[in-house]
Amino acid sequence: FSHQAKAIESAMNNVHTVVQTATGSGKTFCFLLPVLAKALQSLQQQQFQLELGEQHSRESAAILIFPTKALAQDQYSKINTLLQSLPNDSGYSLRAGVIDGDTPHAQRDEIATECQIILTNPDTLHAAILPNWKKKKAYENLLSRISTVVVDEAHVYEGAFGAHVAMVLARLKRVCRVASSSPTSTTHSNPASASPIGFMSPLFIACSATMLHPEEHFRLLCPIGTEENVCVLTNEDDGSPCAPKHFFVWNPPILDVNGNSTESVFLPKNNIKHVVTKNDDDTEEDMGVDNVDNSEDKPVVNIPIGRRKRKRAGKNFDNNNRSDHTAHSPHTSNLFTRRRHSADETAFLLAKAIQRGVRTIAFCKTRSLVEWVYERTLSILQSDKETSHLTSKVESYRGGYTAEARR
């Protein structure tokens, strides 16, 4: 797409780039292709210098920062598949690795030393890599090779959290400068040749689909000088095809006393209440039934609330001390103002979408709601023999799972 070509050209020319285009517009290739190209170029240059017997420079490496471990693992699987599909005729081998809280400590040194593409998150960068770069030669070697820093989902880093991440990125740039000038991390035969004068500041690339002010946000987040140029690609530059999007605000229907849907989001107009005063000794036969339209198969019944239910609701009513007006007024429940819970309605819609073969994702606010919607969706699908086989196509994903279960 046109915006991908512009982003790749900008990154290859070492111009800081921020891409703010629609979801599914191919933003991953905007930073992945320049990272791969620079890594291959550095390997080719090393090989050429070795053949000439000259001092060879460091190979290039890139750090890809994602806000969560799950997103990093998802991107790692895609990048690793891409790397394995590349032809190996040239003899150059590119490797990608993940360093986060789930990575065993015994494997981190090898990943930092052997991989050209490192996927991580701000927490690991702040708490593990940057504080230990002097203690671990693998981290020092990695930071001395960094040529590109990618910040994916950049809109996440705002407010106090964004300010903290901005300071982490500023420290990353400073440590890369110092590490590149360290004699212990250089591959030059003459350590003096690895002076900070020849240090190339890392290239920063940020991607997001929902940044209101991309350039301003990008400059605040990444340590980019005011005199440095920035390539900004917004929705106006988006060259990817985009289907129309439809937004629906779904209002759960009104339920009757039997828990059945009235198939309406408005209160019924023909709800004429029959006034009944219920005492504790009254039986169900002594209670009245509302005069409602009986055209429906299941009539809507309005049962007044007795004293026991009022006490359960936390209301202390004393029949002996009530005024005459209160004593003769019925205490009926707001049966027609109760709507189906939004979680149940979400499960209903999700089950319908699965029946129609529509790929759907339902976002829930808490872990418990995720499990609630998941179980209700399975229950709806299992209730019908024709859809019971679709339960295997539904899966829940939330925080709290082990690393093996998440993947």
Side-chain angles (χ1 to χ4, degrees), residues 83-395:
L83 293 179
Q84 292 177 356
S85 65
L86 295 177
N88 197 21
D89 299 338
S90 60
Y92 303 120
S93 177
L94 295 180
R95 289 185 57 188
V98 180
I99 300 180
D100 58 22
D102 294 335
T103 306
H105 287 271
Q107 300 177 8
R108 296 187 181 187
D109 288 354
E110 180 186 0
I111 294 174
T113 304
E114 301 296 333
C115 295
Q116 292 83 18
I117 303 174
I118 304 296
L119 293 82
T120 186
N121 55 69
D123 294 325
T124 303
L125 187 63
H126 170 62
I129 297 178
L130 292 179
N132 298 311
W133 75 274
K134 288 185 177 180
K135 301 176 183 177
K136 289 193 172 186
K137 297 302 179 183
Y139 288 165
E140 182 179 1
N141 178 270
L142 169 64
L143 295 174
S144 68
R145 298 183 289 121
I146 296 301
S147 63
T148 307
V149 177
V150 177
V151 183
D152 198 15
E153 304 295 340
H155 63 276
V156 174
Y157 309 110
E158 60 179 2
F161 178 54
H164 292 166
V165 174
M167 288 187 281
V168 171
L169 294 178
R171 185 186 182 192
L172 172 64
K173 181 179 179 180
R174 294 195 302 269
V175 173
C176 287
R177 180 182 180 87
V178 176
S180 65
S181 63
S182 174
T184 59
S185 65
T186 182
T187 58
H188 292 274
S189 59
N190 181 13
S193 63
S195 66
I197 298 177
F199 168 72
M200 284 293 294
S201 176
L203 171 71
F204 287 91
I205 304 175
C207 297
S208 173
T210 54
M211 283 192 295
L212 185 60
H213 304 289
E215 182 176 359
E216 180 182 356
H217 185 90
F218 184 46
R219 288 185 178 275
L220 288 174
L221 178 63
C222 300
I224 300 174
T226 56
E227 72 285 352
E228 296 184 81
N229 295 327
V230 171
C231 176
V232 182
L233 299 173
T234 63
N235 288 323
E236 297 179 356
D237 305 301
D238 193 347
S240 63
C242 183
K245 295 181 175 61
H246 304 279
F247 297 88
F248 299 94
V249 179
W250 191 274
N251 201 6
I254 301 291
L255 300 180
D256 61 24
V257 69
N258 300 318
N260 300 315
S261 173
T262 61
E263 298 183 357
S264 174
V265 295
F266 303 103
L267 294 175
K269 297 181 180 179
N270 58 348
N271 179 24
I272 304 175
K273 293 183 179 180
H274 179 63
V275 178
V276 176
T277 303
K278 181 182 182 301
N279 298 321
D280 291 342
D281 298 332
D282 290 343
T283 62
E284 292 184 0
E285 290 77 5
D286 298 329
M287 294 172 58
V289 179
D290 283 356
N291 183 18
V292 297
D293 186 5
N294 294 324
S295 59
E296 299 289 337
D297 294 336
K298 295 182 180 180
V300 178
V301 180
N302 191 5
I303 302 177
I305 296 179
R307 187 172 65 182
R308 291 181 181 176
K309 291 185 178 180
R310 290 199 299 273
K311 284 187 176 181
R312 287 198 201 110
K315 300 179 181 179
N316 296 324
F317 290 92
D318 189 351
N319 290 330
N320 298 324
N321 297 329
R322 288 184 298 173
S323 62
D324 292 339
H325 174 72
T326 307
H328 293 88
S329 62
H331 294 274
T332 57
S333 61
N334 296 326
L335 296 172
F336 290 104
T337 60
R338 183 169 67 93
R339 297 183 183 274
R340 179 180 289 148
H341 196 280
S342 59
D344 291 334
E345 197 72 1
T346 301
F348 171 77
L349 294 174
L350 184 58
K352 289 295 183 182
I354 295 170
Q355 293 176 23
R356 298 295 181 89
V358 180
R359 296 186 65 181
T360 310
I361 182 170
F363 290 98
C364 302
K365 193 173 183 179
T366 61
R367 300 180 183 181
S368 58
L369 280 179
V370 170
E371 293 301 322
W372 178 274
V373 172
Y374 173 65
E375 295 294 338
R376 289 293 299 163
T377 303
L378 294 182
S379 177
I380 294 172
L381 294 175
Q382 291 171 350
S383 63
D384 189 348
K385 293 182 179 179
E386 297 182 355
T387 60
S388 59
H389 67 282
L390 297 175
T391 55
S392 60
K393 296 183 178 295
V394 188
E395 192 55 79

